[in-house]
Coordinates of all heavy atoms in Angstrom, one line a residue:
M1 N -3.9 14.8 3.2 CA -4.5 13.7 3.9 C -3.5 12.5 3.8 O -3.0 12.2 2.8 CB -5.8 13.3 3.2 CG -6.6 12.3 4.0 SD -8.2 11.9 3.2 CE -7.7 11.1 1.7
A2 N -3.3 11.9 5.0 CA -2.4 10.7 5.0 C -3.3 9.4 5.2 O -4.5 9.5 5.4 CB -1.5 10.9 6.2
I3 N -2.6 8.3 5.0 CA -3.2 7.0 5.3 C -3.8 7.0 6.7 O -3.2 7.5 7.6 CB -2.3 5.9 5.0 CG1 -3.0 4.5 5.1 CG2 -1.0 5.9 5.9 CD1 -2.1 3.3 4.6
D4 N -5.0 6.4 6.8 CA -5.6 6.3 8.2 C -4.8 5.2 8.9 O -4.8 4.0 8.6 CB -7.0 5.8 8.0 CG -7.7 5.6 9.3 OD1 -7.1 5.8 10.4 OD2 -8.9 5.3 9.3
P5 N -4.1 5.6 10.0 CA -3.3 4.6 10.7 C -4.2 3.5 11.4 O -3.7 2.4 11.8 CB -2.6 5.4 11.8 CG -3.4 6.6 12.0 CD -4.0 6.9 10.6
D6 N -5.5 3.7 11.5 CA -6.4 2.8 12.2 C -7.2 2.0 11.1 O -8.2 1.4 11.5 CB -7.3 3.5 13.1 CG -6.6 4.2 14.2 OD1 -5.6 3.7 14.7 OD2 -7.0 5.4 14.5
F7 N -6.7 1.9 9.9 CA -7.5 1.3 8.8 C -7.9 -0.1 9.1 O -8.9 -0.6 8.6 CB -6.7 1.4 7.5 CG -5.6 0.5 7.4 CD1 -5.7 -0.8 6.9 CD2 -4.3 0.8 7.9 CE1 -4.7 -1.7 6.8 CE2 -3.3 -0.1 7.9 CZ -3.4 -1.3 7.3
Q8 N -7.1 -0.8 9.9 CA -7.5 -2.2 10.2 C -8.7 -2.4 11.0 O -9.4 -3.4 10.9 CB -6.3 -2.9 10.9 CG -5.1 -3.1 10.0 CD -4.0 -4.0 10.6 OE1 -4.3 -5.1 11.0 NE2 -2.8 -3.5 10.7
T9 N -9.1 -1.3 11.7 CA -10.4 -1.4 12.4 C -11.5 -0.5 11.7 O -12.6 -0.8 11.9 CB -10.2 -0.9 13.9 OG1 -9.5 0.3 13.9 CG2 -9.4 -1.9 14.6
T10 N -11.1 0.6 11.1 CA -12.1 1.5 10.5 C -12.5 1.0 9.1 O -13.5 1.5 8.6 CB -11.5 2.9 10.4 OG1 -10.3 2.9 9.5 CG2 -11.2 3.5 11.7
R11 N -11.8 0.2 8.4 CA -12.1 -0.3 7.1 C -12.3 -1.8 7.1 O -11.9 -2.5 8.0 CB -11.0 0.0 6.1 CG -10.9 1.5 5.9 CD -9.8 1.7 4.8 NE -9.6 3.1 4.5 CZ -9.4 3.5 3.2 NH1 -9.4 2.7 2.2 NH2 -9.2 4.8 3.0
Q12 N -13.0 -2.3 6.1 CA -13.3 -3.7 6.0 C -12.4 -4.4 5.0 O -12.1 -3.7 3.9 CB -14.7 -4.0 5.6 CG -15.7 -3.6 6.7 CD -17.0 -4.4 6.6 OE1 -17.4 -4.7 5.5 NE2 -17.6 -4.6 7.7
K13 N -11.9 -5.6 5.2 CA -11.2 -6.3 4.2 C -12.1 -6.8 3.2 O -13.1 -7.4 3.5 CB -10.5 -7.5 4.9 CG -9.6 -8.3 3.9 CD -9.0 -9.5 4.6 CE -8.4 -10.4 3.5 NZ -7.9 -11.7 4.1
V14 N -11.9 -6.4 1.9 CA -12.8 -6.7 0.8 C -12.3 -7.7 -0.2 O -13.1 -8.2 -1.0 CB -13.3 -5.4 0.1 CG1 -14.1 -4.5 1.1 CG2 -12.1 -4.6 -0.5
A15 N -11.0 -7.9 -0.2 CA -10.4 -8.8 -1.2 C -9.0 -9.2 -0.8 O -8.4 -8.7 0.1 CB -10.3 -8.0 -2.5
D16 N -8.5 -10.2 -1.5 CA -7.1 -10.6 -1.5 C -6.5 -10.3 -2.8 O -7.2 -10.5 -3.9 CB -7.0 -12.1 -1.2 CG -7.2 -12.5 0.2 OD1 -6.4 -12.0 1.1 OD2 -8.1 -13.2 0.6
H17 N -5.3 -9.8 -2.8 CA -4.7 -9.5 -4.1 C -3.2 -10.0 -4.0 O -2.4 -9.5 -3.2 CB -4.7 -8.0 -4.4 CG -3.9 -7.7 -5.6 ND1 -2.7 -6.9 -5.6 CD2 -4.1 -8.0 -6.9 CE1 -2.2 -6.8 -6.8 NE2 -3.1 -7.4 -7.6
E18 N -2.9 -11.0 -4.8 CA -1.6 -11.6 -4.9 C -1.0 -11.9 -3.5 O 0.1 -11.6 -3.2 CB -0.6 -10.6 -5.6 CG -1.1 -10.2 -7.0 CD -0.7 -11.3 -8.0 OE1 0.1 -12.2 -7.7 OE2 -1.2 -11.2 -9.1
G19 N -1.9 -12.4 -2.6 CA -1.4 -12.9 -1.3 C -1.5 -11.8 -0.2 O -1.1 -12.1 1.0
H20 N -1.9 -10.6 -0.5 CA -2.1 -9.6 0.6 C -3.6 -9.1 0.6 O -4.3 -9.2 -0.4 CB -1.1 -8.5 0.5 CG -1.2 -7.7 -0.8 ND1 -0.3 -7.9 -1.8 CD2 -2.0 -6.7 -1.2 CE1 -0.6 -7.1 -2.8 NE2 -1.6 -6.3 -2.5
A21 N -3.9 -8.5 1.7 CA -5.3 -8.1 1.9 C -5.5 -6.7 1.2 O -4.6 -5.9 1.0 CB -5.6 -7.9 3.4
V22 N -6.8 -6.5 0.8 CA -7.2 -5.2 0.3 C -8.4 -4.7 1.2 O -9.3 -5.4 1.5 CB -7.8 -5.3 -1.1 CG1 -8.2 -3.9 -1.6 CG2 -6.7 -5.8 -2.1
F23 N -8.2 -3.5 1.8 CA -9.2 -2.9 2.7 C -9.9 -1.9 1.9 O -9.3 -1.0 1.3 CB -8.5 -2.3 3.9 CG -7.9 -3.3 4.8 CD1 -6.6 -3.8 4.6 CD2 -8.5 -3.8 5.9 CE1 -6.0 -4.8 5.4 CE2 -8.0 -4.7 6.8 CZ -6.7 -5.2 6.5
G24 N -11.2 -2.0 1.8 CA -12.0 -1.1 1.0 C -12.3 0.3 1.5 O -11.7 0.6 2.6
P25 N -13.1 1.0 0.9 CA -13.9 0.6 -0.3 C -13.1 0.5 -1.5 O -12.1 1.3 -1.7 CB -14.9 1.8 -0.4 CG -14.3 3.0 0.2 CD -13.4 2.4 1.4
E26 N -13.5 -0.4 -2.4 CA -12.8 -0.6 -3.7 C -13.9 -0.5 -4.8 O -14.8 -1.3 -4.8 CB -12.2 -2.0 -3.7 CG -11.4 -2.3 -4.9 CD -10.9 -3.7 -5.0 OE1 -11.6 -4.7 -4.7 OE2 -9.7 -3.9 -5.3
E27 N -13.8 0.5 -5.6 CA -14.7 0.7 -6.7 C -13.8 1.1 -7.9 O -13.5 2.2 -8.2 CB -15.7 1.9 -6.4 CG -16.6 1.6 -5.3 CD -17.3 2.8 -4.8 OE1 -17.4 3.8 -5.5 OE2 -17.7 2.8 -3.6
K28 N -13.3 0.0 -8.6 CA -12.4 0.2 -9.7 C -13.0 0.9 -10.9 O -14.2 0.7 -11.1 CB -11.9 -1.2 -10.2 CG -11.1 -1.9 -9.1 CD -10.7 -3.3 -9.6 CE -9.9 -4.0 -8.6 NZ -9.5 -5.4 -9.0
P29 N -12.3 1.8 -11.6 CA -10.9 2.1 -11.4 C -10.6 3.3 -10.5 O -9.4 3.6 -10.3 CB -10.4 2.4 -12.8 CG -11.6 3.1 -13.4 CD -12.8 2.5 -12.8
A30 N -11.6 4.0 -10.0 CA -11.3 5.3 -9.4 C -11.0 5.1 -7.9 O -10.3 6.0 -7.3 CB -12.5 6.2 -9.5
K31 N -11.5 4.1 -7.2 CA -11.2 3.9 -5.8 C -10.7 2.5 -5.6 O -11.3 1.5 -6.0 CB -12.5 4.0 -4.9 CG -12.9 5.5 -4.7 CD -13.9 5.6 -3.6 CE -13.4 5.5 -2.2 NZ -12.5 6.5 -1.8
L32 N -9.5 2.4 -5.0 CA -8.7 1.2 -5.0 C -8.5 0.7 -3.6 O -8.0 -0.4 -3.4 CB -7.4 1.3 -5.8 CG -7.6 1.6 -7.3 CD1 -6.3 1.9 -7.9 CD2 -8.4 0.5 -8.0
G33 N -8.7 1.5 -2.5 CA -8.5 1.1 -1.2 C -7.1 1.0 -0.7 O -6.2 1.6 -1.4
I34 N -6.9 0.2 0.3 CA -5.5 0.1 0.9 C -5.1 -1.4 0.7 O -5.8 -2.3 1.0 CB -5.6 0.4 2.4 CG1 -5.8 1.9 2.7 CG2 -4.3 -0.1 3.1 CD1 -6.0 2.3 4.1
H35 N -3.9 -1.5 0.1 CA -3.3 -2.8 -0.1 C -2.3 -3.1 0.9 O -1.4 -2.3 1.2 CB -2.6 -2.9 -1.5 CG -3.6 -3.1 -2.6 ND1 -3.4 -4.1 -3.6 CD2 -4.7 -2.5 -2.9 CE1 -4.4 -4.1 -4.4 NE2 -5.2 -3.1 -4.1
G36 N -2.4 -4.3 1.5 CA -1.4 -4.8 2.5 C -2.0 -4.6 3.9 O -2.9 -3.9 4.1
T37 N -1.3 -5.3 4.8 CA -1.7 -5.3 6.2 C -0.7 -4.6 7.1 O -0.8 -3.5 7.6 CB -2.1 -6.7 6.8 OG1 -3.1 -7.2 5.9 CG2 -2.6 -6.6 8.2
W38 N 0.5 -5.3 7.2 CA 1.6 -4.6 8.0 C 2.4 -3.7 7.2 O 3.1 -2.8 7.7 CB 2.4 -5.6 8.8 CG 3.0 -6.8 8.1 CD1 4.2 -6.8 7.5 CD2 2.4 -8.0 7.8 NE1 4.5 -8.0 6.9 CE2 3.4 -8.8 7.0 CE3 1.2 -8.6 8.0 CZ2 3.1 -10.0 6.6 CZ3 0.9 -9.9 7.6 CH2 1.9 -10.6 6.8
V39 N 2.4 -4.0 5.8 CA 3.0 -3.0 4.9 C 1.8 -2.5 4.1 O 1.3 -3.1 3.2 CB 4.1 -3.5 4.0 CG1 4.6 -2.4 3.0 CG2 5.2 -4.1 4.8
A40 N 1.2 -1.4 4.5 CA -0.1 -0.9 3.9 C 0.1 0.3 3.1 O 0.7 1.3 3.5 CB -1.1 -0.6 5.0
V41 N -0.4 0.2 1.9 CA -0.3 1.4 0.9 C -1.7 1.8 0.5 O -2.5 1.0 0.0 CB 0.5 1.0 -0.3 CG1 0.6 2.2 -1.3 CG2 1.9 0.4 0.0
D42 N -2.0 3.1 0.8 CA -3.3 3.6 0.4 C -3.2 4.0 -1.1 O -2.6 5.0 -1.5 CB -3.6 4.8 1.2 CG -5.1 5.3 1.0 OD1 -5.6 5.1 -0.1 OD2 -5.7 5.8 2.0
F43 N -3.7 3.1 -1.9 CA -3.7 3.3 -3.3 C -4.4 4.6 -3.8 O -4.0 5.1 -4.8 CB -4.3 2.1 -4.1 CG -3.3 0.9 -4.3 CD1 -2.1 0.8 -3.6 CD2 -3.6 0.0 -5.3 CE1 -1.3 -0.2 -3.8 CE2 -2.7 -1.1 -5.5 CZ -1.6 -1.2 -4.8
D44 N -5.3 5.0 -3.0 CA -6.0 6.3 -3.4 C -5.2 7.5 -3.1 O -5.5 8.6 -3.6 CB -7.4 6.3 -2.7 CG -8.3 5.2 -3.3 OD1 -8.3 5.0 -4.5 OD2 -8.9 4.5 -2.4
L45 N -4.1 7.4 -2.4 CA -3.2 8.5 -2.1 C -1.9 8.4 -2.9 O -1.2 9.4 -3.1 CB -2.9 8.5 -0.6 CG -4.0 8.7 0.4 CD1 -3.5 8.8 1.8 CD2 -4.8 10.0 0.0
C46 N -1.5 7.1 -3.2 CA -0.2 6.9 -3.9 C -0.2 7.7 -5.3 O -1.1 7.6 -6.1 CB -0.1 5.4 -4.2 SG 1.4 5.0 -5.2
V47 N 0.9 8.4 -5.4 CA 1.1 9.2 -6.7 C 2.2 8.6 -7.5 O 2.7 9.3 -8.5 CB 1.4 10.7 -6.3 CG1 0.2 11.4 -5.7 CG2 2.7 10.8 -5.5
A48 N 2.6 7.4 -7.2 CA 3.6 6.7 -8.0 C 5.0 7.4 -8.0 O 5.7 7.4 -9.0 CB 3.1 6.4 -9.5
D49 N 5.3 8.0 -6.9 CA 6.6 8.7 -6.8 C 7.7 7.7 -6.9 O 8.8 8.1 -7.5 CB 6.6 9.5 -5.4 CG 8.0 10.0 -5.1 OD1 8.2 11.2 -5.6 OD2 8.8 9.4 -4.5
G50 N 7.6 6.6 -6.3 CA 8.6 5.5 -6.5 C 9.7 5.6 -5.4 O 10.6 4.7 -5.4
A51 N 9.6 6.5 -4.4 CA 10.6 6.6 -3.4 C 10.7 5.3 -2.5 O 11.7 4.9 -2.1 CB 10.4 7.8 -2.5
C52 N 9.5 4.7 -2.3 CA 9.5 3.5 -1.5 C 10.2 2.3 -2.2 O 10.9 1.6 -1.5 CB 8.0 3.1 -1.2 SG 7.0 2.9 -2.6
L53 N 10.0 2.2 -3.5 CA 10.7 1.2 -4.2 C 12.3 1.3 -4.1 O 13.0 0.4 -3.9 CB 10.3 1.1 -5.7 CG 9.0 0.4 -6.0 CD1 7.8 1.3 -5.9 CD2 9.1 -0.3 -7.3
D54 N 12.7 2.6 -4.2 CA 14.1 2.9 -4.1 C 14.7 2.7 -2.7 O 15.8 2.2 -2.5 CB 14.4 4.3 -4.5 CG 14.2 4.6 -6.0 OD1 14.2 3.6 -6.7 OD2 14.0 5.7 -6.3
A55 N 13.8 3.0 -1.7 CA 14.3 2.9 -0.3 C 14.3 1.5 0.3 O 15.0 1.2 1.2 CB 13.4 3.8 0.6
C56 N 13.4 0.7 -0.1 CA 13.2 -0.6 0.5 C 14.4 -1.6 0.3 O 14.7 -1.9 -0.8 CB 11.9 -1.3 0.0 SG 11.6 -2.8 0.8
P57 N 15.0 -2.0 1.4 CA 16.1 -2.9 1.2 C 15.7 -4.4 0.9 O 16.6 -5.2 0.6 CB 16.8 -2.8 2.6 CG 15.7 -2.5 3.6 CD 14.8 -1.6 2.8
E58 N 14.4 -4.7 1.0 CA 13.9 -6.0 0.9 C 13.1 -6.2 -0.4 O 12.5 -7.3 -0.5 CB 13.1 -6.4 2.1 CG 13.9 -6.4 3.4 CD 15.1 -7.4 3.4 OE1 14.9 -8.5 2.8 OE2 16.1 -7.1 4.0
N59 N 13.0 -5.2 -1.2 CA 12.2 -5.3 -2.5 C 10.8 -5.8 -2.2 O 10.3 -6.7 -2.9 CB 12.9 -6.2 -3.5 CG 14.3 -5.7 -3.9 OD1 14.4 -4.5 -4.2 ND2 15.3 -6.6 -3.9
V60 N 10.2 -5.1 -1.2 CA 8.8 -5.5 -0.9 C 7.8 -5.0 -2.0 O 6.9 -5.7 -2.2 CB 8.4 -4.9 0.5 CG1 6.9 -4.9 0.7 CG2 9.2 -5.6 1.6
F61 N 8.1 -3.9 -2.6 CA 7.2 -3.3 -3.5 C 7.4 -3.6 -5.0 O 8.6 -3.8 -5.4 CB 7.2 -1.7 -3.4 CG 7.0 -1.3 -2.0 CD1 8.0 -0.9 -1.2 CD2 5.7 -1.1 -1.5 CE1 7.8 -0.5 0.1 CE2 5.5 -0.7 -0.2 CZ 6.5 -0.3 0.6
A62 N 6.3 -3.7 -5.7 CA 6.4 -3.8 -7.2 C 5.3 -2.9 -7.8 O 4.3 -2.7 -7.2 CB 6.2 -5.3 -7.6
W63 N 5.6 -2.4 -9.0 CA 4.6 -1.6 -9.6 C 3.4 -2.4 -10.1 O 3.5 -3.5 -10.6 CB 5.2 -0.9 -10.8 CG 6.1 0.2 -10.5 CD1 7.4 0.3 -10.9 CD2 5.9 1.4 -9.8 NE1 8.0 1.5 -10.5 CE2 7.1 2.2 -9.7 CE3 4.8 1.9 -9.1 CZ2 7.2 3.4 -9.1 CZ3 4.9 3.1 -8.4 CH2 6.1 3.9 -8.4
L64 N 2.2 -1.8 -9.9 CA 1.0 -2.4 -10.4 C 0.3 -1.3 -11.2 O 0.1 -0.2 -10.8 CB 0.0 -2.8 -9.2 CG -1.3 -3.3 -9.7 CD1 -1.2 -4.7 -10.3 CD2 -2.3 -3.4 -8.5
D65 N 0.0 -1.7 -12.5 CA -0.7 -0.7 -13.4 C -2.1 -0.5 -12.9 O -2.8 -1.5 -12.7 CB -0.7 -1.2 -14.8 CG 0.7 -1.1 -15.4 OD1 1.5 -0.2 -15.0 OD2 1.0 -1.9 -16.3
T66 N -2.5 0.8 -12.8 CA -3.9 1.1 -12.4 C -4.5 2.1 -13.3 O -4.8 3.3 -12.9 CB -3.9 1.6 -10.9 OG1 -3.0 2.7 -10.8 CG2 -3.5 0.5 -10.0
P67 N -4.7 1.8 -14.5 CA -5.2 2.8 -15.5 C -6.6 3.3 -15.1 O -7.4 2.6 -14.6 CB -5.3 2.0 -16.8 CG -5.3 0.6 -16.4 CD -4.5 0.5 -15.1
G68 N -6.7 4.6 -15.2 CA -8.0 5.3 -14.9 C -8.1 5.8 -13.4 O -9.1 6.4 -13.1
H69 N -7.0 5.6 -12.6 CA -7.1 6.1 -11.3 C -6.6 7.6 -11.3 O -5.7 7.9 -11.9 CB -6.2 5.3 -10.3 CG -6.4 5.7 -8.9 ND1 -5.7 6.7 -8.3 CD2 -7.3 5.2 -8.0 CE1 -6.2 6.9 -7.0 NE2 -7.2 6.0 -6.8
P70 N -7.4 8.4 -10.6 CA -7.1 9.9 -10.7 C -5.8 10.3 -10.1 O -5.2 11.3 -10.5 CB -8.3 10.5 -9.9 CG -8.9 9.4 -9.1 CD -8.6 8.1 -9.8
A71 N -5.2 9.6 -9.1 CA -4.0 10.1 -8.5 C -2.8 9.6 -9.3 O -1.8 10.4 -9.3 CB -3.9 9.6 -7.0
S72 N -2.8 8.4 -9.8 CA -1.7 7.9 -10.7 C -2.1 6.6 -11.3 O -3.0 5.9 -10.8 CB -0.4 7.7 -9.8 OG -0.7 6.8 -8.8
E73 N -1.5 6.3 -12.4 CA -1.9 5.2 -13.2 C -1.0 3.9 -12.9 O -1.0 3.0 -13.7 CB -1.9 5.5 -14.7 CG -3.0 6.6 -14.9 CD -3.7 6.5 -16.3 OE1 -3.0 6.1 -17.2 OE2 -4.9 6.8 -16.3
K74 N -0.2 4.0 -11.9 CA 0.4 2.8 -11.3 C 0.6 3.0 -9.8 O 0.6 4.2 -9.4 CB 1.8 2.5 -12.0 CG 2.8 3.6 -11.9 CD 4.1 3.2 -12.6 CE 5.2 4.2 -12.4 NZ 6.5 3.9 -13.0
K75 N 0.7 1.9 -9.1 CA 0.8 2.0 -7.7 C 1.9 1.1 -7.2 O 2.3 0.0 -7.8 CB -0.5 1.5 -7.0 CG -1.7 2.2 -7.5 CD -1.8 3.7 -7.2 CE -3.0 4.4 -7.7 NZ -2.9 5.9 -7.4
A76 N 2.5 1.5 -6.0 CA 3.5 0.6 -5.3 C 2.8 -0.4 -4.5 O 2.3 -0.2 -3.4 CB 4.4 1.5 -4.4
D77 N 2.8 -1.6 -5.1 CA 2.0 -2.7 -4.5 C 2.9 -3.5 -3.5 O 4.0 -3.9 -3.9 CB 1.5 -3.7 -5.6 CG 0.4 -4.5 -5.2 OD1 -0.3 -4.2 -4.2 OD2 0.1 -5.5 -5.9
P78 N 2.5 -3.7 -2.2 CA 3.4 -4.4 -1.3 C 3.3 -5.9 -1.5 O 2.9 -6.7 -0.6 CB 2.8 -4.0 0.1 CG 1.3 -3.8 -0.2 CD 1.3 -3.2 -1.6
L79 N 3.8 -6.3 -2.7 CA 3.7 -7.7 -3.1 C 4.4 -8.7 -2.1 O 4.0 -9.8 -2.0 CB 4.3 -7.9 -4.5 CG 3.4 -7.8 -5.7 CD1 4.2 -8.3 -6.9 CD2 2.1 -8.6 -5.5
R80 N 5.5 -8.3 -1.5 CA 6.3 -9.2 -0.7 C 6.3 -8.7 0.7 O 7.3 -8.6 1.4 CB 7.7 -9.3 -1.2 CG 7.8 -10.0 -2.6 CD 9.2 -10.2 -3.2 NE 10.3 -9.6 -2.4 CZ 11.1 -10.3 -1.6 NH1 10.9 -11.6 -1.4 NH2 12.1 -9.7 -1.0
E81 N 5.1 -8.3 1.3 CA 5.1 -7.7 2.6 C 5.6 -8.7 3.7 O 6.1 -8.2 4.7 CB 3.7 -7.2 3.0 CG 2.6 -8.2 3.3 CD 1.4 -7.6 3.9 OE1 1.4 -6.4 4.3 OE2 0.4 -8.3 3.9
E82 N 5.6 -10.0 3.4 CA 6.1 -10.9 4.4 C 7.6 -10.8 4.6 O 8.2 -11.2 5.6 CB 5.7 -12.4 4.0 CG 6.5 -13.0 2.9 CD 6.2 -12.4 1.5 OE1 5.2 -11.8 1.3 OE2 7.0 -12.7 0.6
A83 N 8.3 -10.1 3.6 CA 9.7 -9.9 3.7 C 10.1 -8.7 4.5 O 11.3 -8.4 4.7 CB 10.3 -9.9 2.3
C84 N 9.2 -7.9 4.9 CA 9.5 -6.6 5.5 C 10.2 -6.8 6.8 O 9.9 -7.7 7.6 CB 8.1 -5.9 5.8 SG 8.3 -4.3 6.7
I85 N 11.3 -6.0 7.0 CA 12.1 -6.0 8.3 C 11.7 -4.8 9.1 O 12.5 -4.5 10.1 CB 13.6 -6.1 7.9 CG1 14.0 -4.9 7.1 CG2 13.9 -7.4 7.3 CD1 15.5 -4.7 6.9
F86 N 10.7 -4.0 8.8 CA 10.2 -2.9 9.6 C 11.3 -1.8 9.9 O 11.4 -1.3 11.0 CB 9.6 -3.4 10.9 CG 8.6 -4.5 10.7 CD1 8.8 -5.8 11.1 CD2 7.4 -4.2 10.0 CE1 7.9 -6.8 10.8 CE2 6.5 -5.2 9.7 CZ 6.7 -6.5 10.1
C87 N 12.0 -1.5 8.8 CA 13.0 -0.5 8.9 C 12.4 0.9 8.8 O 13.1 1.9 9.2 CB 14.1 -0.6 7.8 SG 13.5 -0.2 6.2
M88 N 11.2 1.0 8.4 CA 10.4 2.3 8.3 C 10.9 3.2 7.2 O 10.4 4.3 7.1 CB 10.4 3.0 9.6 CG 9.9 2.2 10.7 SD 8.2 1.6 10.4 CE 7.5 1.5 12.0
A89 N 11.9 2.8 6.3 CA 12.4 3.7 5.3 C 11.3 4.1 4.4 O 11.2 5.3 4.0 CB 13.5 3.0 4.5
C90 N 10.4 3.2 3.9 CA 9.4 3.6 3.0 C 8.4 4.6 3.5 O 8.0 5.5 2.9 CB 8.7 2.3 2.5 SG 7.9 1.4 3.8
E91 N 8.0 4.4 4.8 CA 7.0 5.2 5.4 C 7.6 6.7 5.5 O 6.8 7.6 5.3 CB 6.7 4.7 6.8 CG 5.5 5.3 7.4 CD 5.2 4.7 8.8 OE1 4.6 3.7 9.0 OE2 5.6 5.4 9.8
S92 N 8.9 6.8 5.8 CA 9.4 8.2 6.0 C 9.7 8.9 4.7 O 9.8 10.1 4.7 CB 10.7 8.1 6.8 OG 11.7 7.3 6.1
V93 N 9.8 8.2 3.5 CA 10.1 8.9 2.3 C 8.9 9.1 1.4 O 9.0 9.8 0.4 CB 11.1 8.2 1.4 CG1 12.5 8.1 2.2 CG2 10.7 6.8 1.0
C94 N 7.7 8.6 1.8 CA 6.5 8.7 0.9 C 6.0 10.1 0.9 O 5.5 10.6 2.0 CB 5.5 7.7 1.3 SG 4.0 7.8 0.4
P95 N 6.0 10.8 -0.2 CA 5.5 12.2 -0.2 C 4.1 12.4 0.3 O 3.8 13.3 1.1 CB 5.7 12.7 -1.7 CG 6.8 11.8 -2.2 CD 6.5 10.4 -1.5
P96 N 3.1 11.6 -0.2 CA 1.8 11.8 0.3 C 1.4 11.1 1.6 O 0.2 11.1 2.0 CB 0.9 11.3 -0.9 CG 1.7 10.3 -1.5 CD 3.2 10.7 -1.3
V97 N 2.4 10.5 2.2 CA 2.2 9.7 3.5 C 1.1 8.6 3.2 O 0.1 8.6 4.0 CB 1.8 10.6 4.7 CG1 2.0 9.9 6.0 CG2 2.7 11.9 4.7
A98 N 1.3 7.9 2.2 CA 0.4 6.8 1.8 C 0.7 5.5 2.4 O -0.1 4.5 2.2 CB 0.3 6.7 0.3
I99 N 1.8 5.3 3.2 CA 2.3 4.0 3.7 C 2.2 4.0 5.2 O 2.6 5.0 5.8 CB 3.7 3.7 3.2 CG1 3.8 3.8 1.7 CG2 4.2 2.4 3.8 CD1 5.2 3.6 1.1
K100 N 1.7 2.9 5.7 CA 1.6 2.7 7.2 C 2.3 1.4 7.5 O 1.8 0.3 7.0 CB 0.2 2.7 7.7 CG 0.1 2.4 9.2 CD 0.8 3.4 10.1 CE 0.7 3.0 11.5 NZ 1.6 3.8 12.4
I101 N 3.4 1.4 8.2 CA 4.1 0.2 8.6 C 3.6 -0.2 10.0 O 3.7 0.7 10.9 CB 5.6 0.3 8.6 CG1 6.1 0.7 7.2 CG2 6.3 -1.0 9.1 CD1 5.8 -0.3 6.1
T102 N 3.1 -1.4 10.2 CA 2.7 -1.9 11.5 C 3.5 -3.1 11.9 O 3.2 -4.2 11.4 CB 1.2 -2.2 11.6 OG1 0.5 -1.1 11.1 CG2 0.7 -2.5 13.0
P103 N 4.6 -3.0 12.7 CA 5.4 -4.2 13.0 C 4.5 -5.3 13.6 O 3.6 -5.0 14.5 CB 6.4 -3.6 14.0 CG 6.5 -2.2 13.6 CD 5.2 -1.8 13.2
K104 N 4.8 -6.5 13.2 CA 4.0 -7.6 13.7 C 4.3 -8.0 15.1 O 5.4 -7.8 15.5 CB 4.2 -8.9 12.8 CG 3.6 -8.8 11.5 CD 3.5 -10.1 10.8 CE 4.8 -10.5 10.1 NZ 4.8 -11.7 9.3
Ligands
SF4_201 S1 9.6 -0.9 6.4 FE1 11.5 -1.1 5.3 S2 11.6 -3.3 4.7 FE2 9.5 -2.8 5.2 S3 8.5 -2.3 3.3 FE3 9.2 -0.4 4.2 S4 11.3 0.0 3.3 FE4 10.7 -2.2 2.9

């Protein structure tokens, strides 16, 4: 299962986290939703592989500890999504296809 490319219409924004949106459902610690809008990471799919952090030329991602989540206990949080240059590198290297880039 990959991130829903239509999440901006199929899900509701339920929170703000460090300046980016969170699209629910969010039921911590087991369900965390999707973080980010144009750089969107489905935290419920993220396995903390880290390929996106290595691939991103703009350092958009930072680790966020998520203890108790069944898929992984840290997530690649799109903390600096405003810096994204839409190179698509992160989307193409993510093993579980948890990232959706939507150019503005
Ligand atoms: S599309 Fe490129 S610049 Fe944007 S977050 Fe992904 S790797 Fe970084």
Side-chain angles (χ1 to χ4, degrees):
M1 189 177 69
I3 185 171
D4 178 359
D6 301 318
F7 72 94
Q8 291 189 54
T9 52
T10 59
R11 295 182 178 222
Q12 292 204 330
K13 182 182 169 186
V14 294
D16 281 299
H17 175 247
E18 302 279 348
H20 60 261
V22 179
F23 294 83
E26 184 184 47
E27 295 164 23
K28 296 176 181 176
K31 281 192 78 68
L32 300 174
I34 292 175
H35 277 232
T37 303
W38 55 92
V39 179
V41 181
D42 191 327
F43 273 19
D44 294 313
L45 300 179
C46 176
V47 294
D49 173 84
C52 56
L53 278 89
D54 293 339
C56 181
E58 299 296 327
N59 295 315
V60 165
F61 302 98
W63 289 121
L64 176 69
D65 289 330
T66 56
H69 190 272
S72 60
E73 298 212 323
K74 62 179 182 178
K75 305 295 177 183
D77 201 19
L79 265 194
R80 292 179 1 98
E81 70 171 349
E82 76 286 348
C84 178
I85 58 171
F86 308 112
C87 71
M88 304 304 209
C90 58
E91 197 182 271
S92 62
V93 296
C94 178
V97 195
I99 301 174
K100 175 62 184 173
I101 301 298
T102 307
K104 286 197 278 185

